[in-house]
Amino acid sequence: MADDRTGEKTEAATAETGAAEPEEGPGVDRARRVAAVRGSERVLSAGPPVATIAERLAALSAEAPAGRGLDEQADMYGDGIVGELEREVAELLGTEAAAFFPTGTMAQQVALRCWAGRTGSPVVALHPMSHLEKDERGAYAQVSGLRAVRLASGPRPPTAAEVRDLDEPFGTLALELPLRGAGFLLPTWEELTAVVEAAREREAVVHFDGARLWECATHFGVGPAEVAALADSVYVSFYKSLGGISGAALAGPAELVEEAKAWRHRYGGDVFQQWPAALAALSGLERELPRLPSYVAHARVVAAALEEGFRAAGVPWFRVNPRVPHTHQFQVWLPYPAHALEEAGVALAEETRTTVFDGWSSSDVPGLSFTEVTITSSALSWTPEAVVEAVVAVLARVPAGAGGAG
């Protein structure tokens, strides 16, 4: 089944990157976009599922790990299958314990609040492009009463020198791995360990915003547990890369996790039953987690082929960011209005049952648009030649004179 981000794409991308509102244009009706993607036989860049409820329920039952969930009593307030998931995540990340949360936003706020109480400091050091800053509506300040000091200023991970040179004390360093708004960028392993050590020198704890931590291991050349071992606490998502329904986990020392569970209740996250999300998360850990290295490797093949396709199509300017992807996701920037690119992509899908890109968003530069490319199982059969051919076909459907930047 094909995937697509559909109507939420522009809003989410605008929030994360500071992009401008879409330029005036006819746009593409959401129902038409969904129909085009669902009808596609080939999908290069896959977004969240556009399956029906019936399809999701059938998949949930069919893909359930053997002996998990279907024959046991449904969970109640975090026992049963939810507890199984928590124990498995703790084992995978090498931590003493883990707690399931209905949302990553809640998990993040609870983690930072717990650390503020333990360090005695309400100050969190973070990157201004991080998810905490751009996409949680100031929850760390508005809900948890914390304050941020900002690291770095450009679209890149912060450095150890910037951590050391902060001109005021902070209790927690929050690092987003990867930094999505900058193109899913990661530091090198040596740079990451140096940043963590710099925080320790400042007597601060380290929290990893690891919504996409699972796919970082390939870039670092270590396993998820080795990545998590650098931090005092880690948040991971179950739907961003693992194909789950919803939910997240906060992992760390047992004492911290127990406190986090108390705050989870206070924040309204002690949900009566969460078996669908937990079952989908366990399925994702079994099915998708082992595949992520192949997705990352193929993303690098696709990124190079996209550049070749843009050159073949005569695009006056383009950028694949980063040129060699750090994870299975990366950005593509083109000098055409978002609505023109979306119309071209949907038209191609309707005519050839081939979906190449997953929606487009406008930027602060008029006529310059970007998309996020996500490589999963649907893309593994695409050869470089097929990517080039499809890119040329999409751009051939962009109206002459539509270019707004170059």
Side-chain angles (χ1 to χ4, degrees), residues 44-350:
L44 181 63
S45 178
V50 294
T52 65
I53 294 174
E55 289 167 343
R56 290 306 306 264
L57 286 172
L60 191 63
S61 177
E63 297 171 358
R68 297 287 187 93
L70 299 184
D71 296 323
E72 64 182 79
Q73 197 72 27
D75 63 291
M76 294 178 63
Y77 292 116
D79 66 2
I81 192 171
V82 175
E84 291 179 31
L85 174 62
E86 291 174 337
R87 289 187 289 273
E88 181 158 332
V89 168
E91 183 177 350
L92 284 168
L93 296 179
T95 60
E96 291 181 350
F100 182 82
F101 280 79
T103 71
T105 297
M106 185 184 295
Q108 298 260 77
Q109 301 316 310
V110 167
L112 296 180
R113 184 161 196 155
C114 289
W115 285 125
R118 288 163 180 264
T119 63
S121 171
V123 182
V124 181
L126 50 76
H127 194 288
M129 294 182 72
S130 68
H131 193 275
L132 279 162
E133 184 75 356
K134 301 290 288 185
D135 300 283
E136 297 182 6
R137 303 192 72 166
Y140 66 83
Q142 299 299 321
V143 178
S144 302
L146 307 179
R147 181 170 63 85
V149 291
R150 292 164 181 82
L151 285 165
S153 58
R156 56 170 177 76
T159 67
E162 288 167 330
V163 174
R164 292 191 182 93
D165 293 342
L166 277 176
D167 56 6
E168 58 181 302
F170 56 94
T172 304
L173 170 65
L175 293 175
E176 182 181 353
L177 299 176
L179 188 57
R180 177 188 178 182
F184 304 92
L185 296 185
L186 289 165
T188 65
W189 181 251
E190 292 73 21
E191 289 167 342
L192 179 60
T193 55
V195 166
V196 170
E197 179 58 31
R200 306 283 189 223
E201 293 173 11
R202 299 290 299 262
E203 299 183 343
V205 298
V206 178
H207 170 73
F208 283 169
D209 174 349
R212 297 172 174 84
L213 184 82
W214 305 114
E215 61 267 35
C216 295
T218 300
H219 174 81
F220 291 135
V222 300
E226 286 78 9
V227 179
L230 291 179
D232 296 283
S233 62
V234 178
Y235 140 63
V236 291
S237 173
F238 296 123
Y239 73 90
K240 288 183 170 64
S241 301
L242 300 180
I245 294 174
S246 62
L250 175 64
E255 185 178 319
L256 176 79
V257 171
E258 283 305 306
E259 182 186 359
K261 289 181 177 180
W263 280 107
R264 180 182 65 188
H265 195 173
R266 295 184 181 111
Y267 274 65
D270 202 14
V271 180
F272 178 52
Q273 290 190 334
Q274 301 182 90
W275 59 265
L279 182 58
L282 286 167
S283 297
L285 289 172
E286 179 180 78
R287 182 186 66 255
E288 289 300 303
L289 184 58
R291 297 176 180 176
L292 287 175
S294 68
Y295 298 165
V296 176
H298 200 58
R300 296 166 181 171
V301 175
V302 171
L306 287 173
E307 289 195 342
E308 184 178 346
F310 297 144
R311 286 190 288 268
V315 179
W317 180 92
F318 60 84
R319 182 173 183 184
V320 174
N321 179 45
R323 291 194 67 187
V324 179
H326 295 176
T327 73
H328 70 310
Q329 297 179 284
F330 56 93
Q331 295 174 338
V332 167
W333 295 74
L334 291 177
Y336 306 104
H339 64 83
L341 289 165
E342 288 208 351
E343 173 61 37
V346 170
L348 178 70
E350 291 171 337

